[in-house]
Amino acid sequence: MTAINEVTDLRLESDIAVLTLDSPPVNALSANVRSGLFDGIQAADANDDARAIVLICEGRTFIAGADITEFGGKAAAGASLTDVQAAMQNAKKPVIAAIHGTALGGGLEVALCAHFRIAIPSARCGLPEVNLGLLPGAGGTQRLPRIVGVETALAMVTSGRHVPAAECLELGLIDEIVDEGELLDGAISFAKKVLAEDRPLRKVDEFNDKVEAARGKPEIFEAFRASIARKTRGFLAPEYNIRCIEAAVNEPFDEGLRTEGRLFRELVTGEQSAAQRYSFFAEREVWKVPDVPRDTPQLPIQTVGIVGAGTMGGGIAMNFANIGIPVTLIEQNQEALDRGLGVVRANYERSAKRGRLTSEDVEVRMGLLTGSLSIDDLAECDLVIEAVFENMGVKKKIFADFDRVMKPGAILATNTSALDIDEIASATKRPESVIGLHFFSPANVMRLVEVVRADHTSKEVIATSMALAKRIGKMAALVGVCPGFVGNRILAPRQAQANALLLEGAMPWDIDRVLFDFGLPMGPFAMSDLAGLDIGWSKETSKGETLRDVLCEMDRRGQKNGKGFYDYGDDRSASPSPEVEKIIRDFAARSGKETREISDEEILERCVYPMINEGFEILAEGKAIRASDIDVIWVNGYGWPVYRGGPMFYGEQIGLDRVLERLRAFQKTHGDAFAPASLLEQAVTEGKNYRDLGY
Ligand code: T1G
């Protein structure tokens, strides 16, 4: 065995050279890996005892792409990827890539330059660069369509999907599937077969049939662009990926490569990819809790109990049933219980109708759900979650019952989105077992869970809750107890400013348009209309003191009755309402407010900058571990566009000094709602970013 470098070694298995990469955690194409690959392929090709070359990786996966940490930094050292790929393609002997885990991005692009690819059944291949605001910049957009065809290539590079091995075999992306655990032996016997059959060493670059078949058919691209327009709104990368595939169809291979390289450089130096790469690492950092080490013992969670089978309780239960954990749902009466379980079954049946589940899956999941009217039936559960309406007295009663009924060591969780969890915990003699698990509605769909650490919550309970959130496929962030925790606490100043702007001359549709164009899925007023303006409103107690009172008194309840802040057509399309404009102007006048023309820029700054400012307050109070956690919460729970990283990242991207300057300007005119956080002032004064400040 020859060590090519510290991450690559080369050995002969009879007359087959085996080049092994071992660069944890995911064999990313760092400078070391590229150099090891380049030197290794050359050494194997020059070795007369070797008649073929197998490229294989140690650890959890085949090459999972370029080393993302190298982007945006200093010039890349070591052999270039192009050199590596040329060495593989031009080798005099067959090169076989042996794939396990995930061959992604540059990893698949390397494999596409081998003459053959084999894999084990659990392997997956993909070009997910689009999720980093990028495109496959090492020939992937030119070689992939030559193998899988244009339509499939378009779908793969714009979705970033990890395609299972069996489908890759059908698509021609891999040549053979070998048994699990038999990858190396399978690769060696495949190599021997190739030699025995004297198969030609063809370069994918020369496979032109499938791209030529799409030449002169621009409708393919028009139709595809239209099909993804809605879900890729605001993103640059999907369009750039499409242009590369168009180049593969319309340009000779080498020219297509140049087009790909040019478009890649535009993206990798751009703001969107910087934000999406930041998000990639933020979503990995968020699981790390400094004072709760990875080896903190975790409590076994095999059974779950949920009090409240309403919308939240039912949705939460589905998350556990989806991974095979039995759930007991508690309600006050049979009717409510039947209704709750009925809603869950309807949700599952809807998924089955859409082909996401089989009817058998539905029955298996429903079989894991048990209803009961007695909290005593939860005694043996490992975790119980209270998901009833927001009333402190009711919640404390339930936690007192938990304390009486639950076995020692059970986790006692609340799904409250607003109430003080320390006060809830004070209803028990085991506050160390109490934690907040704040799901977002619909809980079976929304990816985010705020895991809320109370004063006495134990490290075991925190470690167990974070790991459990990962098991049910959620993105979790650990936050502290404060009004609105992190997500809603940052939402509040935005809402307050949106409402204030209404009385100063901006219309609901102006504010919504600015935030929608910024990339949020919906503006605050369209959102209110969707939820219903009369939630928690009653005719009897309404005094016309707020704008919402006035709208509801005029029977404008929102989408549900076709009029709210907007007027709604039969197709539910929203249009600005002259009646609402008059209501707002009259209300502003009655409130003694001067109205004026307000620019889109002012609307955006007054809605977003107080959010960033509140983020600083949260960090200073220790209610979030790091700034990027706040961003993970807003990207996964509030629709903040990932190509803007999150409120805190956005603040740094536009300049914290600018944010501070504008807050101070607004404070002069609009008061202390804009009072800058001292931590923000410190960051600007000291010219520090979040990391420098330790967040
Ligand atoms: N570069 C650097 N570090 C990476 C990495 C990468 N490509 N992929 C993962 N890591 C780190 C990650 O930060 C974490 O570190 C650890 O590995 C485990 O990751 C030229 C331009 C492979 C499916 O987009 O999707 O190729 O937190 O927690 O859940 O065209 O990681 O432990 O310190 O995610 O098992 C394209 C990105 C790059 C794939 C494994 N490739 N990675 O998931 O583990 S761009 C990707 C993933 C490119 C070329 C272009 C996943 C995974 P730490 P993890 P996992």
Side-chain angles (χ1 to χ4, degrees):
M1 167 137 78
T2 318
I4 301 292
N5 68 7
E6 55 269 34
V7 295
T8 320
D9 69 51
L10 181 62
R11 68 181 187 280
L12 268 182
E13 292 275 347
S14 72
D15 57 0
I16 307 296
V18 177
L19 185 60
T20 306
L21 284 181
D22 188 4
S23 178
V26 295
N27 291 305
L29 289 159
S30 62
N32 247 347
V33 167
R34 292 194 306 270
S35 300
L37 266 178
F38 182 70
D39 299 344
I41 292 283
Q42 297 215 309
D45 205 27
N47 181 333
D48 294 337
D49 298 332
R51 298 181 56 224
I53 305 168
V54 166
L55 168 59
I56 192 165
C57 295
E58 288 293 342
R60 68 166 91 181
T61 181
F62 187 78
I63 304 166
D67 186 335
I68 308 169
T69 61
E70 286 188 354
F71 291 141
K74 51 190 183 334
S80 74
L81 206 41
T82 314
D83 293 343
V84 170
Q85 293 171 305
M88 293 172 69
Q89 286 188 311
N90 302 328
K92 301 187 294 300
K93 40 198 86 167
V95 178
I96 292 107
I99 299 171
H100 76 291
T102 50
L104 300 176
L108 181 56
E109 291 173 300
V110 163
L112 288 174
C113 291
H115 303 112
F116 304 97
R117 288 154 292 281
I118 70 148
I120 52 177
S122 59
R124 290 167 293 144
C125 300
L127 295 175
E129 284 86 345
V130 71
N131 299 330
L132 299 167
L134 295 171
L135 55 86
T141 67
Q142 304 307 301
R143 294 190 174 100
L144 184 71
R146 282 175 160 77
I147 293 185
V148 304
V150 168
E151 284 86 351
T152 302
L154 284 169
M156 282 181 66
V157 297
T158 54
S159 67
R161 191 164 79 91
H162 299 182
V163 181
E167 194 179 334
C168 291
L169 185 67
E170 276 165 35
L171 290 170
L173 254 182
I174 58 174
D175 300 284
E176 187 166 297
I177 291 184
V178 298
D179 293 342
E180 287 292 341
E182 300 296 326
L183 185 59
L184 180 57
D185 293 348
I188 291 171
S189 27
F190 182 85
K192 291 183 184 299
K193 195 162 56 181
V194 165
L195 293 165
E197 297 166 5
D198 194 19
R199 290 203 203 169
L201 306 186
R202 300 189 59 202
K203 286 183 187 172
V204 174
D205 312 14
E206 297 144 7
F207 299 5
N208 291 321
D209 305 357
K210 292 186 175 164
V211 287
E212 282 165 2
R215 203 159 292 159
K217 298 183 180 152
E219 65 277 10
I220 294 174
F221 295 96
E222 277 151 40
F224 187 79
R225 280 187 172 95
S227 72
I228 64 164
R230 198 179 149 81
K231 72 170 181 276
T232 59
R233 182 179 71 90
F235 288 86
L236 284 178
E239 172 56 26
Y240 275 54
N241 275 273
I242 295 171
R243 288 190 204 156
C244 290
I245 307 286
E246 276 177 321
V249 167
N250 301 325
E251 297 169 15
F253 184 83
D254 291 342
E255 213 178 304
L257 267 187
R258 281 190 292 279
T259 301
E260 177 193 273
R262 177 172 50 76
L263 293 174
F264 178 82
R265 284 186 293 280
E266 279 182 39
L267 288 177
V268 80
T269 53
E271 290 192 336
Q272 289 206 354
S273 180
Q276 289 177 259
R277 295 193 312 263
Y278 161 85
S279 247
F280 175 86
F281 289 111
E283 291 194 353
R284 279 142 188 88
E285 209 61 19
V286 74
W287 299 99
K288 300 167 187 167
V289 180
D291 67 333
V292 181
R294 271 176 198 251
D295 60 2
T296 301
Q298 294 181 18
L299 305 161
I301 305 292
Q302 277 133 13
T303 52
V304 171
I306 298 177
V307 178
T311 311
M312 288 309 293
I316 296 169
M318 292 173 74
N319 289 301
F320 296 104
N322 292 349
I323 62 164
I325 294 180
V327 181
T328 303
L329 277 157
I330 304 293
E331 260 298 349
Q332 294 177 311
N333 57 61
Q334 195 58 43
E335 191 205 344
L337 193 54
D338 296 344
R339 189 172 48 245
L341 289 168
V343 169
V344 171
R345 174 173 282 282
N347 284 339
Y348 278 136
E349 283 169 354
R350 197 174 310 116
S351 300
K353 235 197 234 103
R354 293 186 184 144
R356 295 201 199 113
L357 292 177
T358 65
S359 50
E360 196 210 333
D361 294 336
V362 173
E363 295 318 318
V364 168
R365 284 166 169 78
M366 288 308 296
L368 288 165
L369 302 177
T370 309
S372 163
L373 302 180
S374 165
I375 204 163
D376 291 48
D377 290 341
L378 301 183
E380 290 312 312
C381 289
D382 300 316
L383 161 70
V384 284
I385 306 175
E386 159 277 311
V388 302
F389 61 93
E390 299 284 24
N391 176 292
M392 184 57 86
V394 172
K395 290 187 190 279
K396 288 177 84 169
K397 165 81 178 58
I398 291 170
F399 273 74
D401 287 341
F402 281 163
D403 204 24
R404 174 177 56 78
V405 167
M406 297 307 302
K407 67 181 182 183
I411 296 181
L412 315 180
T414 169
N415 179 54
T416 183
S417 62
L419 300 180
D420 182 337
I421 299 178
D422 288 311
E423 186 179 343
I424 293 173
S426 70
T428 76
K429 290 185 277 314
R430 45 176 139 171
E432 71 283 359
S433 299
V434 176
I435 195 164
L437 293 180
H438 177 210
F439 288 82
F440 289 73
S441 184
N444 54 311
V445 176
M446 290 297 287
R447 199 165 167 233
L448 180 69
V449 175
E450 282 184 321
V451 176
V452 189
R453 173 182 203 159
D455 287 350
H456 303 290
T457 308
S458 75
K459 294 183 178 177
E460 289 74 18
V461 168
I462 291 170
T464 306
S465 302
M466 292 293 281
L468 183 63
K470 194 176 254 188
R471 267 175 72 193
I472 60 175
K474 298 297 185 189
M475 180 59 65
L478 188 69
V479 300
V481 174
C482 59
F485 307 136
V486 169
N488 289 342
R489 180 172 166 181
I490 285 190
L491 178 64
R494 188 198 80 178
Q495 299 302 82
Q497 282 311 308
N499 291 326
L501 285 158
L502 275 190
L503 302 186
E504 294 172 39
M507 284 299 117
W509 32 93
D510 300 327
I511 298 166
D512 282 358
R513 173 181 46 74
V514 168
L515 294 173
F516 182 77
D517 292 352
F518 179 75
L520 288 160
M522 192 181 272
F525 301 103
M527 183 72 85
S528 303
D529 275 359
L530 186 64
L533 301 184
D534 55 358
I535 294 182
W537 179 82
S538 86
K539 205 175 183 134
E540 292 66 41
T541 57
S542 179
K543 298 190 185 69
E545 284 159 357
T546 67
L547 195 52
R548 195 169 69 108
D549 282 348
V550 176
L551 290 167
C552 289
E553 285 165 8
M554 298 186 69
D555 196 31
R556 300 190 70 91
R557 308 300 177 89
Q559 263 198 33
K560 59 184 155 191
N561 77 340
K563 52 185 178 173
F565 281 105
Y566 294 83
D567 293 333
Y568 292 87
D570 299 344
D571 60 354
R572 285 188 174 266
S573 60
S575 53
S577 162
E579 182 182 56
V580 169
E581 176 154 359
K582 183 169 181 328
I583 292 169
I584 293 174
R585 295 212 183 288
D586 294 351
F587 189 88
R590 269 205 314 281
S591 323
K593 295 276 182 187
E594 298 261 332
T595 60
R596 59 189 168 87
E597 274 306 305
I598 301 179
S599 70
D600 289 358
E601 186 189 28
E602 178 178 346
I603 290 174
L604 185 67
E605 291 184 339
R606 281 185 54 187
C607 287
V608 172
Y609 292 5
M611 297 168 70
I612 300 166
N613 195 43
E614 193 63 30
F616 274 94
E617 299 288 10
I618 288 169
L619 292 173
E621 293 168 25
K623 301 304 180 186
I625 295 169
R626 52 187 80 84
S628 61
D629 290 5
I630 296 174
D631 290 340
V632 166
I633 287 170
W634 260 74
V635 166
N636 288 280
Y638 296 80
W640 183 280
V642 68
Y643 58 78
R644 293 191 192 278
M648 306 312 281
F649 179 85
Y650 178 69
E652 261 187 6
Q653 212 170 38
I654 54 175
L656 295 177
D657 53 346
R658 165 126 184 111
V659 174
L660 180 58
E661 176 215 322
R662 298 300 291 149
L663 285 169
R664 285 183 172 150
F666 290 138
Q667 185 182 18
K668 286 204 187 84
T669 330
H670 303 289
D672 288 342
F674 293 96
S678 349
L679 187 63
L680 169 59
E681 291 177 319
Q682 180 194 345
V684 173
T685 315
E686 298 171 13
K688 289 183 172 167
N689 63 28
Y690 304 118
R691 281 192 185 281
D692 305 338
L693 291 165
Y695 296 105

